[in-house]
Amino acid sequence: MRHLVRTAWVCLAVVCWAQLAGATLFVEESFDYNEGLLLNGLDGGTGWAGAWTANSHPNFPQDIQAGNLADYPGLVNAGNHARLWACGNGSVYSRAERVFQDPIADSGQTVWWGFQMAAYGAKRGPADLLLPGSDTAVFSMTSDQPTAISFLGTKVADGDPSYTPHLFLVEIAMSDDPGPETATCYVDPDLSLDPSAWTGTPGSFTADPTTGLTGLKWDGARAGTSMQADLYFDEIRFATTWQEAVGASAGDDIIPEPTTVALLALGGLGALLRRRRRA
């Protein structure tokens, strides 16, 4: 019996360790900066190779706004949030970009990308959110009124004059070959449920097989003679688990991770074996 108990504890401890070791937060940006600062040159967060590079029309600066973009059940908030303007007149456009410290390699792993965004005001031409390392715009804000937010060509949400924020969780299955990456976008998912219960929008894009995904870029006005798109961003994260992509491993509003389940099972098994030994 003593040998059985020892073996059970060792086996479950290995499971727990494997789950913990496999969880990784690659990149995080909560815009924990003072209100009113220009985004250009700010270098907070983790997992980035350098500071934000941001430029825009002088009347529409990319800057930091006070407060969290919005409270969302299960999403961990910190700092303030960023406001990105886009105002194109044929020659002037807006852009904000930042490079990852370590590219997310096309290595066969699943990557979760979480962020909050509110959008309104695209009048003509696209405003795109890209992951450099691919030529495909993952999200596009098109000329529909109110602003239509599309994920790899499929509309997934609307912007509105009140700048209603959405939580976007994107599951990216990196293919480990030159072929396309499979991606699924979940808009405002219920974080108290397992992802298998979420409704997602599928799509695909091709990452550079040699470099993988290398950063994040907001391209505010690629075309058009009169275009203005107002966006707010908050809580950008790239991770190997969706829990980390919303800033938490487990919590009151989030289902337990496999690690938590394993620990509970470990305690339960130990109690069961002690009961059998007493019998």
Side-chain angles (χ1 to χ4, degrees), residues 99-113:
V99 177
F100 298 153
Q101 179 175 311
D102 298 307
I104 298 176
D106 189 5
S107 58
Q109 68 181 328
T110 295
V111 176
W112 288 87
W113 171 23

Side-chain angles (χ1 to χ4, degrees), residues 38-63:
L38 296 180
L39 182 61
N40 186 55
L42 298 180
D43 61 356
T46 58
W48 305 95
W52 284 98
T53 299
N55 65 285
S56 60
H57 191 283
N59 294 334
F60 301 94
Q62 324 279 28
D63 59 6

Side-chain angles (χ1 to χ4, degrees), residues 24 33 89 117 169 174 189 194 223 227-228 230 232 249 251 266:
T24 302
Y33 312 108
N89 62 4
M117 180 172 66
L169 271 174
M174 304 295 281
D194 185 87
M227 184 260 182
Q228 182 177 321
D230 315 334
Y232 294 87
S249 59
L266 184 64

Side-chain angles (χ1 to χ4, degrees), residues 120-210:
Y120 179 72
K123 296 177 181 177
R124 296 181 187 174
D128 295 337
L129 182 61
L130 304 94
L131 295 173
S134 170
D135 292 329
T136 303
V138 182
F139 286 90
S140 294
M141 278 53 73
T142 61
S143 58
D144 294 351
Q145 292 289 349
T147 304
I149 302 172
S150 297
F151 170 73
L152 293 170
T154 301
K155 181 179 175 180
V156 293
D158 279 325
D160 60 63
S162 62
Y163 303 99
T164 302
H166 297 283
L167 171 64
F168 294 90
L169 271 174
V170 181
E171 181 181 12
I172 305 173
M174 304 295 281
S175 60
D176 197 21
D177 60 42
E181 277 51 67
T182 300
T184 304
C185 177
Y186 304 97
V187 182
D188 298 329
D190 185 344
L191 301 182
S192 66
L193 301 177
D194 185 87
S196 62
W198 300 346
T199 299
T201 300
S204 64
F205 65 96
T206 301
D208 188 317
T210 59

